[in-house]
Amino acid sequence: MLKRGILLALAFLLSLSLVGCGGPSSGGSKSLIVQDNGAGQQAETQKATPKKKIALVMKTLTNPFFIEMEKGARRAENELGVNLIVKVGAKETSIAQQIAIVDELIGDKVDAIVIAPGSSTELIPVLKKAQDAKIPIVNIDNRLNPKLSQELGLVDVPFISVNNEQGAYLSAKTISDRINRPTEAIILEGIPGADNGEQRKRGALRAFEENRNIRVVASETANWKIDEGHDVTAKLFERYPNIGAIFCANDMMALGAIQYLDKAKKMGVLVAGYDALDEAKKAIRAGKLLATIDQQADLQGYRGIQYAYKAIEGEKNPPETMVDVKVIHAGNVE
């Protein structure tokens, strides 16, 4: 009897050990193991395919133009499922800061760099360093100097922008078409040596030269800034008090010029700008600005990220892409 009891106890303990080790009754334990394996596989998949890191390097975010550019880039980020890293300088003239940013991105091993360079020449060496590190480069807005790029070996960099000369020509022409008597004109330029600024100056000069009544008495930089636009305009009016027309290579400088004209109570001066900022559109509605140019900054940002992603995937991009410009004036500002 005692022996039989011992045998029954041993049988009972054996059945418990089978259940604990995952026998037929341990369905819950099996379920946990399957879930763990699935999570592990998912983690391995995520680890194997991280999001591509694309850096957008712009001049500044104090200019609304670049805020619109970032919006377009963010749209591409969402569509492509990449990780967008946005870096900017403190000012549009902060070239050394842009160079340091690119250097930092090389160290961070980003997958591609999309850049709107503050200088057409000074960024080329550090961008060549990035390209040597197998980081694709996409150039937007302001063209890198082709000759220097070739000399330093920075090649196969797609460029996305607008025809700045034609855009400036169309903007300045809205002034030229209204002048039918001898008039002195001035031009507020962008950063000296920047390709987009030089092109806009050429376009404005071409439009003014078509009208024999217009004489350009001065062309000076205001470095894309609203305060310098005000101060340079004030200085030039002291020298040439009969100025009747002003072309500004961007809207920030145009807004600065308008501030001076309002303060000095200078009436009837025709002003045109470039960039189609919201404040410039308000100035058009108020009759203080004749025209501006919409160069679709958001589309430039969007396509820049698209091209960078294609480059990462080993696809070829067109060497140059020109975005259409639109003249904004009182008749279509709404």
Side-chain angles (χ1 to χ4, degrees):
M1 196 67 185
L2 178 60
K3 185 176 179 181
R4 185 180 177 189
I6 291 170
L7 289 173
L8 286 172
L10 287 171
F12 178 70
L13 289 172
L14 180 61
S15 68
L16 285 178
S17 69
L18 284 172
V19 172
C21 291
S25 301
S26 61
S29 178
K30 274 189 176 179
S31 175
L32 286 173
I33 292 170
V34 169
Q35 287 176 358
D36 285 345
N37 286 340
Q41 289 168 358
Q42 186 178 9
E44 284 299 316
T45 302
Q46 289 174 349
K47 186 176 179 181
T49 57
K51 286 185 175 183
K52 300 298 183 184
K53 294 187 293 183
I54 299 178
L56 173 63
V57 182
M58 300 183 294
K59 300 172 192 176
T60 180
L61 283 177
T62 60
N63 186 335
F65 173 82
F66 294 106
I67 295 174
E68 292 302 310
M69 182 175 282
E70 183 186 354
K71 287 179 183 176
R74 291 293 180 193
R75 181 159 59 91
E77 175 190 31
N78 292 332
E79 289 181 9
L80 297 170
V82 298
N83 179 17
L84 180 65
I85 302 163
V86 176
K87 300 281 188 177
V88 298
K91 300 181 293 185
E92 295 194 42
T93 52
S94 302
I95 310 303
Q97 192 175 6
Q98 267 199 333
I99 292 170
I101 286 169
V102 174
D103 228 350
E104 179 187 339
L105 292 170
I106 295 169
D108 291 342
K109 297 182 179 179
V110 296
D111 294 294
I113 296 173
V114 180
I115 186 165
S119 166
S120 296
T121 57
E122 294 178 64
L123 271 295
I124 292 174
V126 74
L127 291 172
K128 173 63 167 68
K129 180 181 175 183
Q131 195 175 68
D132 288 345
K134 309 301 182 188
I135 300 173
I137 309 298
V138 179
N139 176 200
I140 61 175
D141 179 40
N142 181 37
R143 190 194 297 268
L144 295 163
N145 184 279
K147 183 179 178 182
L148 185 59
S149 294
Q150 188 71 32
E151 289 175 0
L152 297 182
L154 182 65
V155 296
D156 297 326
V157 176
F159 177 58
I160 304 167
S161 187
V162 298
N163 187 327
N164 280 284
E165 182 173 342
Q166 180 65 8
Y169 170 81
L170 293 172
S171 180
K173 195 173 187 302
T174 63
I175 292 176
S176 183
D177 287 346
R178 292 192 175 210
I179 292 176
N180 53 20
R181 58 185 177 80
T183 302
E184 293 181 348
I186 61 173
I187 295 173
L188 299 189
E189 306 172 21
I191 296 172
D195 183 72
N196 56 354
E198 296 295 335
Q199 286 193 46
R200 292 176 197 179
K201 177 184 175 181
R202 287 198 297 269
L205 284 171
R206 181 157 60 94
F208 287 159
E209 286 167 359
E210 290 177 353
N211 188 331
R212 292 182 180 179
N213 287 308
I214 298 176
R215 183 167 71 96
V216 178
V217 295
S219 181
E220 292 194 15
T221 182
N223 289 306
W224 305 123
K225 298 177 183 177
I226 191 168
D227 55 342
E228 290 192 36
H230 172 282
D231 295 346
V232 172
T233 302
K235 180 185 72 174
L236 292 176
F237 262 93
E238 287 179 11
R239 195 182 309 166
Y240 306 101
N242 297 317
I243 294 167
I246 308 173
F247 170 77
C248 303
N250 81 343
D251 283 341
M252 298 290 277
M253 296 186 295
L255 293 169
I258 290 168
Q259 284 181 2
Y260 166 76
L261 295 174
D262 285 347
K263 187 168 63 176
K265 295 183 169 47
K266 300 283 186 183
M267 310 297 291
V269 180
L270 301 176
V271 184
Y274 198 110
D275 277 345
L277 304 184
D278 286 342
E279 287 301 315
K281 292 176 183 178
K282 290 178 184 176
I284 290 174
R285 295 186 194 103
K288 297 179 179 181
L289 186 67
L290 198 57
T292 185
I293 296 296
D294 183 355
Q295 55 177 332
Q296 304 193 75
D298 60 329
L299 186 54
Q300 291 189 49
Y302 177 81
R303 286 190 176 168
I305 304 307
Q306 270 191 329
Y307 281 22
Y309 186 78
K310 286 181 180 179
I312 293 168
E313 296 297 308
E315 297 181 38
K316 277 282 187 184
N317 286 303
E320 182 178 278
T321 301
M322 290 289 112
V323 175
D324 290 336
V325 300
K326 297 186 286 186
V327 182
I328 307 298
H329 50 73
N332 67 2
V333 69
E334 296 303 332

